[in-house]
Amino acid sequence: MDFFANLAAGLSIALQPMNLFYCFLGVFLGTLIGVLPGLGPAGAMSILLPLTFKMPATTAIIMLAGIYYGAMYGGSTTSILVNIPGEAASVVTTLDGYKMALQGRAGPALGIAAFGSFIAGTLGIVILQVLSPPLVSVALRFGPPEYFSLMILGLVILTYLAQRSMAKALLMAGMGILLGMVGLDNISGRPRFTLGIPKFMDGVGLIPLIMGLFGVAEVLINMEKKLSRQFAQAPISHLLPSLEDWAQSKWAILRGSVIGFFLGILPGGGAILASFVAYALEKRLARNPERFGNGAIEGVAAPESANNSAASGAFIPLLTLGIPSNVLMAILIGALMIHGIAPGPTLMKEHPDVFWGVIASMYVGNIMLLVLNLPLIGLWVRILRVPPSILFPLILLFCILGSFAENYSIIDVAMMLFFGIVGYFLRKFDYEPAPLVLAFVLGPLLETNLRQSLILSDGSFGIFFSRSISLACLLLALILLLTSFIPSIMKKREMVMEEEV
Amino acid sequence: MDRWIDFSSFIGRISIELSRLAADRKKSPEGEGLNADRISAVFWLLVGGSALTGSISLGLGTTREPGSGFLSFLASSFVCLMALIIFLQSLKKSPGAVPSLQDRWRGAQWKRPLAVSLFTLGYILVFGILGFALATFLLMFVLLRALEHLPWKWALIISALSTGFCYGLLRISLEASLPKGILGI
């Protein structure tokens, strides 16, 4: 009963004209960003964050969330038509999607990607809606030690799932915590690691950091390559999948939805991991696995369903615990805080309009995406033909705009350039920037909870081991850390990651 | 005369061979050269080490009352430990297994990202003097024309349109006050 009452309350907010408009704008821009290789949803959300300052909080989050799940839809278009994933979660879609396009089946590939995304996205939201209230009541029992241990576990899982060296990912997480310390100490008021620069008293800005590491670094890396796009030449027709296509894809969509949702909850795992796991599972379960990689429609349906469902799952830690599971959720936390709303277990009780309004808007957004994507496929294809020589300078300009618009300060642009160059070298040396950004966001929270826990326990670290949830999180983190450094497991993990890459 | 021709062709052949040898020496084979992981590990060790010293000078406090440098001390120690692990791993791996510093930039047009960084730095430096509109237009024009070799007409049109869009967004939608610069806009 509560389910429908909450849904009705949420829909009454989501269907208000202004929220509908910004939901549409969000999913439209998200699809556009997903289609264009180079600027990911993190960059797009950062650019648009200043635009949301004057909006009501619910409207702002509805739009930003729309960009997130919209990008998951859009990413499949480039994967299928150009063999270039629009964003990382669509990498695996290129394997069979592009092959289908080469065989003249671009239409059904795009169609099943859109329908699969819609079904999975909607299923994901249903699970999100059902699971959120009980999880919130559990989260309300969390104290500083539980939060601290949970964040440690989150960071360890994130680095465990890193695509390359785990030591490098852990090092990045450590650097993220250090970067998060820059500025005034909340408790003592002492400046830390400011290098005598007054601007650093406020700390390092999240937006210049994200814009630099993800936007500018991407531009710099792409600038040194000769990019050419090979379009599948066959005309796009018959977007509606046939009955046979549906029969082949139905279980892939369902399995992808469930796997995607639960992997989406994992910190750092999210949509990318979900799409890889869903694809691998379908290949393993298939009667003729050799079809995979040669244009199997399940190879498109499973990862596309999984990455959309994971987008819904990623909201669980944000809405129930106030902890971001990925960089995009960290931006959403930033947006909530700008509007004076503390994310976490109290969100559902104190701001039910935001909580249920955002969830309900995701149902509406998913319908919009389905209606938008199929008829507008021609538009997306035309946008795809924008040459990189124009695209990359424009992306750089939007990064400058996004960094500048946060505080109208050119120093933020300088900071963005600095992190852009850092990001370029990180990529060159195989260091992933995602653990750094997430640890940067979690760093101050981690410090506050650590200090509070130690004050509570009168200086004893035993507090982390005497509480069952905290102990379980730390034990799991320790097991993951230890197993990742055992040579045989390390080798196997590296093999799996290499296969995925 | 013929002897002279033979001698000059001999000298020519030797100089060609010598230049080939020099080029081969410059162009180290794949996998050889400075180990990229080792270099990055040393870099992070230095960064972690300086953060560690900074944390100690901030004050570690006690476990009852942790100081400002408490968590940063733990984090920087962790960075140093990971850097050490990466360094040791690079020693264990065979020379060809880890790409060298040269491999990382092999075949890459590195001058282009360098130019983009320098142009953006120039933009930051002249931003206050030229103002938002002119500086942004010039940056876009330089990127499109000088770097991407777009025809003059298209470079001008795209620069003007994109600058106009950003200017409108900041001034109208966000009501931002932007530096006007020498043009007064």
Side-chain angles (χ1 to χ4, degrees), chain B residues 40-109:
Chain B
S40 70
V42 171
F43 172 78
W44 292 119
L45 210 56
L46 290 173
V47 173
S50 31
L52 199 73
T53 349
S55 306
I56 294 169
S57 62
L58 277 168
L60 303 181
T62 60
T63 50
R64 277 187 192 175
E65 210 176 318
S68 298
F70 187 73
L71 185 63
S72 55
F73 175 79
L74 295 179
S76 46
S77 311
F78 186 72
V79 166
C80 290
L81 178 70
M82 287 304 124
L84 215 61
I85 289 175
I86 296 167
F87 188 84
L88 292 175
Q89 280 176 343
S90 76
L91 289 177
K92 253 178 74 180
K93 285 178 185 166
S94 55
V98 182
S100 72
L101 201 62
Q102 290 91 326
D103 291 339
R104 302 276 170 183
W105 275 273
R106 205 183 292 279
Q109 297 171 303

Side-chain angles (χ1 to χ4, degrees), chain A residues 348-406:
Chain A
M348 191 166 81
K349 200 176 171 192
E350 288 174 6
H351 300 279
D353 51 331
V354 177
F355 192 93
W356 294 113
V358 170
I359 290 182
S361 80
M362 288 160 77
Y363 286 110
V364 180
N366 264 290
I367 297 170
M368 281 179 181
L369 279 168
L370 189 66
V371 176
L372 249 180
N373 271 280
L374 294 180
L376 289 185
I377 202 76
L379 174 72
W380 305 131
V381 172
R382 265 201 294 276
I383 287 172
L384 261 176
R385 291 183 193 270
V386 174
S389 55
I390 296 175
L391 191 64
F392 289 119
L394 283 177
I395 291 174
L396 182 71
L397 178 65
F398 291 140
C399 290
I400 291 174
L401 180 71
S403 302
F404 178 75
E406 192 193 10

Side-chain angles (χ1 to χ4, degrees), chain B residues 11-37:
Chain B
I11 293 291
R13 206 174 284 169
I14 283 182
S15 65
I16 288 168
E17 287 302 318
L18 279 175
S19 61
R20 252 188 216 160
L21 267 174
D24 283 349
R25 192 172 286 180
K26 268 186 198 167
K27 192 172 63 179
S28 68
E30 210 152 324
E32 281 182 23
L34 294 164
N35 183 306
D37 276 3

Side-chain angles (χ1 to χ4, degrees), chain A residues 196-211:
Chain A
I197 301 167
K199 173 75 185 165
F200 285 166
M201 290 286 187
D202 302 329
V204 175
L206 176 66
I207 293 178
L209 180 75
I210 291 177
M211 288 302 207

Side-chain angles (χ1 to χ4, degrees), chain A residues 168 170 181 185 188 190 192 223-224 389 397 404 408 410 424 428-431 451 454 458-459 461, chain B residues 37 40 44 58 63-64 67-68 71 78 101 104-105 109 112 124 127 136 139 148 174-176 178:
Chain A
K168 285 182 177 178
L170 284 168
M181 305 268 121
D185 179 4
S188 68
R190 284 185 71 180
R192 296 188 290 195
M223 278 281 182
E224 65 176 25
S389 55
L397 178 65
F404 178 75
Y408 307 124
I410 195 70
Y424 168 80
K428 279 283 176 192
F429 286 85
D430 287 338
Y431 287 86
R451 279 175 159 183
L454 288 174
D458 210 16
F461 279 96
Chain B
D37 276 3
S40 70
W44 292 119
L58 277 168
T63 50
R64 277 187 192 175
S68 298
L71 185 63
F78 186 72
L101 201 62
R104 302 276 170 183
W105 275 273
Q109 297 171 303
R112 280 164 59 82
I124 293 164
F127 185 80
T136 307
L139 173 72
E148 300 293 357
L174 298 171
E175 294 164 16
L178 301 169

Side-chain angles (χ1 to χ4, degrees), chain A residues 45 72 137 294 310 314 316 336 362 389 397 408 412 463 465:
Chain A
M45 283 165 75
M72 298 298 143
S137 56
N294 292 309
I316 287 267
L336 282 168
M362 288 160 77
S389 55
L397 178 65
Y408 307 124
D412 282 339
I463 194 167
F465 307 104

